[in-house]
Amino acid sequence: MRIGRLWSWGIGLAWLLAGSTAAQSVYSVEYRPRDVRYDLVRTGHFDLIYQRGIDTLAIEAADVLERAFDPVANFIGLSRRFRMPVVLNDFKDNSNGTVSPVPFVMEVEASPIKGKILSPTHRNWMEQVMPHELAHAVHAEVRPALGMGALLGLGGRDFSRVINFIGPPGWTEGLATYFESQDSTEAGLTGRLHFGVRAMEYDAGVSARRPLRLAGALSRSRYTQRFNRFYVGGARFVQYLSEAYGTEAIQKTLRTYHRWPYFGLGFALRLNTGKWTDELGAEFEADALAKLGERFAGQVFSDPEVVWSEPGLNARRPRWLDGKTLLVHASAYDRRPGFYRVDVDSRDPNALAYESVTEDF
């Protein structure tokens, strides 16, 4: 009997570690410069630990987090008490945010070096990154009283939180990307769901000769273009579930998955929507095509003419300089990001300036 229990715990631990190594939210040790110092400010739900000297950014970050907390808790269905540490750094410049379940902490880099590459309608970097990472943090706190997650939680809440980040990356990132896209500003709807470049890439995949399926929408691409397709693909799927089955079905799916993660996300969806993933996928894909059809109904398109194409090409902000010359911000697998002048006749792109983001122009 004792040996059987040991085997059960060993298999469960091995499964957990195998999954957690693939989860996007489990990170290695953070190495910091020796001279970095931090200050602390406490709010209703957060202990904000920020690098000394960025007091204004810290106050703004705390305000954004507190304003976003109730909406995301209602969306995820969190009713328990919530508190977590948030680390705000200013010694790195790659503009990223992470939530780690072990230990449970959010880390955000204050320098918005990438500009508004993910959402041009957000007012600033803090308004963009904080709601997304907060959705991950609240998702991590989904902990029903019974099930495998509760059993692992006896050894520490962090182990229970890991379960919520195991599974298709598009499901985890889709929840956060969907939530980041629910706000609006003077510039319009926010988030990647309403960013023309990201939406266009996804719609092109859905309407392609070999259309993007649900499995592809929830999975990491082998290539970097289309850029992080599972963020938008997952958010579109979460949006579809919300519209077709209601937010309550999403909340129940999260809890079912936490109880029995070894059965997979498809099993949790089946219990709470009544459909297996092949049926849900067919409905989801048909819904996406129908919405595209409605959007373009009655419009007449001319035959396209390709003036520049190469592997991984991502062209933005095209402007005609004259009848035969196009100015565009572009990047590709074998080409530095920057502004290029393209001659329509020769199809030859000439670099004008190497700039990573269009705002630099």
Side-chain angles (χ1 to χ4, degrees), residues 125-333:
W125 170 239
M126 287 300 163
E127 292 274 0
Q128 177 178 325
V129 69
M130 286 302 184
H132 182 97
E133 299 306 330
L134 179 58
H136 283 315
V138 174
H139 178 198
E141 282 289 76
V142 172
R143 296 199 309 274
L146 300 175
M148 181 177 177
L151 185 63
L152 285 173
L154 296 176
R157 289 184 180 179
D158 287 352
F159 297 111
S160 179
R161 294 183 182 107
V162 170
I163 286 181
N164 294 314
F165 291 146
I166 297 173
W171 175 247
T172 303
E173 294 296 348
L175 290 165
T177 303
Y178 174 78
F179 178 75
E180 88 181 26
S181 305
Q182 298 310 297
D183 197 10
S184 61
T185 66
E186 299 82 1
L189 293 170
T190 61
R192 274 164 276 196
L193 276 185
H194 307 293
F195 185 9
V197 172
R198 305 301 169 218
M200 178 188 66
E201 290 173 343
Y202 180 80
D203 290 340
V206 168
S207 57
R209 183 176 301 174
R210 296 177 60 188
L212 182 66
R213 303 299 185 189
L214 175 60
L218 298 182
S219 304
R220 283 183 169 86
S221 173
R222 180 175 297 179
Y223 306 99
T224 57
Q225 301 291 349
R226 297 177 295 272
F227 175 72
N228 287 343
R229 71 179 184 192
F230 59 92
Y231 283 76
V232 176
R236 288 284 186 92
F237 182 56
V238 171
Q239 182 180 44
Y240 168 73
L241 289 177
S242 178
E243 294 172 352
Y245 297 94
T247 304
E248 187 178 359
I250 297 174
Q251 295 172 356
K252 289 181 177 179
T253 297
L254 292 173
R255 280 147 185 76
T256 301
Y257 184 79
H258 191 273
R259 287 191 177 103
W260 301 303
Y262 34 80
F263 289 129
L265 178 62
F267 176 77
L269 288 168
R270 174 67 175 83
L271 287 185
N272 296 290
T273 65
K275 305 286 180 63
W276 289 108
T277 48
D278 57 343
E279 299 173 90
L280 281 175
E283 290 181 0
F284 170 58
E285 293 151 19
D287 179 74
L289 285 174
K291 287 177 178 176
L292 277 176
E294 292 173 4
R295 189 190 309 171
F296 297 122
Q299 297 189 35
V300 178
F301 298 94
S302 59
D303 292 331
E305 180 180 353
V306 179
V307 298
W308 183 16
S309 178
E310 59 184 78
L313 179 64
N314 190 353
R316 298 182 58 198
R317 305 283 182 93
R319 296 289 185 273
W320 287 104
L321 299 180
D322 53 48
K324 293 186 176 181
T325 310
L326 191 66
L327 175 69
V328 63
H329 182 274
S331 62
Y333 287 146

Side-chain angles (χ1 to χ4, degrees), residues 100-123:
S100 169
V102 184
F104 187 46
V105 63
M106 179 193 304
E107 292 224 17
V108 175
E109 294 152 17
S111 302
I113 196 68
K114 292 180 182 176
K116 296 184 176 183
I117 192 173
L118 300 179
S119 174
T121 49
H122 272 108
R123 285 176 284 264

